[in-house]
Amino acid sequence: MRILLSNDDGYFAPGLAALAEGLGAIGSVTVVAPERDRSGASNSLTLDRPLMLSRAPNGFLYVNGTPTDCVHMAVTGLLDFEPDVIVSGINSGSNMGDDTLYSGTVAAATEGYLLGIPSIAVSLVGKEFRHFATAARVARELVERCARAPFGAPVLLNVNVPDVPYGDLTGMEVTRLGRRHKAQAVVPGKNPRGETVYWVGAAGPAREAGPGTDFNALERGAVSITPLQVDLTHGSQIPLVSGWLAQ
Ligand code: MN
């Protein structure tokens, strides 16, 4: 089994090392990851400059681009094989609800999915990130299951794992994305030249976190697995906009 790994935290991130170790036991692992932390990069492609590929001492390949660049490059020319599965992560931090729109972790997996390859984004939910091994074991079980029972179609799975010992997980649940409240306001400050600068504020707390959502599963100590799609068409508003246009 040939497994391509990427992430958005950078090729040096502990979550990526844990993932490579966990999945290295069941397949041949290739890593192509960003050279620096590109969290929040979403699905961006670098179109205004060339990309460079480098090799770290541990064999991981890294690119001076985005998570999407990494997977795009790897699959469309760099690798002389098509990966059987792509896994992105393990992200240091959750990617639930609205986070998925901004996430570079999810974006790397989305790129794999768009290129026709089953892809899984894995994130560790918590603040201290002590249990990457738990998320790596979950990733391994999902990849093993994909090999044993292929979906027969490209899938894009967004997986969030509680930061607890594996034995403390309360289960694995198939979920939908919840929703967050509006993000907190930008935080202004002064740079050393006395100019006003702004930091993007924190994401909002969970707003829609009822049964069936990713937030709800994590709240109860379970792993959430949300199948994602890319079509942004708001189908139920087609009649609304058609009526509006006909006025
Ligand atoms: Mn990240």
Side-chain angles (χ1 to χ4, degrees), residues 12-172:
F12 45 79
L16 181 60
L19 195 57
E21 192 186 328
L23 295 180
I26 58 166
S28 147
V29 165
T30 305
V31 175
V32 183
E35 70 167 0
R36 63 182 175 87
D37 187 347
R38 300 305 303 268
S39 295
S42 190
N43 304 85
S44 46
L45 275 174
T46 300
L47 301 176
D48 58 349
R49 60 178 173 82
L51 297 169
M52 276 188 67
L53 182 74
S54 307
R55 183 182 294 270
N58 67 356
F60 288 8
L61 300 174
Y62 61 95
V63 175
N64 59 342
T66 65
T68 300
D69 289 330
C70 292
V71 172
H72 191 87
M73 257 179 85
V75 175
T76 67
L78 200 62
L79 304 179
D80 56 6
F81 60 89
E82 177 153 296
D84 297 304
V85 62
I86 296 176
V87 186
S88 175
I90 302 163
N91 190 58
S92 292
S94 66
N95 278 307
M96 299 189 287
D98 311 348
D99 303 338
T100 49
L101 277 179
Y102 304 97
S103 169
T105 306
V106 174
T110 301
E111 188 63 14
Y113 168 74
L114 290 174
L115 293 167
I117 300 167
S119 297
I120 305 173
V122 184
S123 303
L124 189 63
V125 181
K127 292 239 158 60
E128 298 182 343
F129 311 126
R130 288 194 195 144
H131 300 286
F132 282 114
T134 300
R137 183 161 165 191
V138 167
R140 175 179 161 167
E141 288 174 4
L142 294 176
V143 169
E144 282 176 326
R145 186 177 288 268
C146 280
R148 197 168 67 235
F151 282 101
V155 288
L156 173 56
L157 301 181
N158 184 43
V159 178
N160 282 271
V161 181
D163 186 16
V164 299
Y166 183 86
D168 291 352
L169 294 176
T170 59
M172 287 202 205

Side-chain angles (χ1 to χ4, degrees), residues 6 29 55 117 193 214 219 240:
S6 193
V29 165
R55 183 182 294 270
I117 300 167
R193 296 190 181 88
D214 45 7
E219 191 66 34
L240 173 74

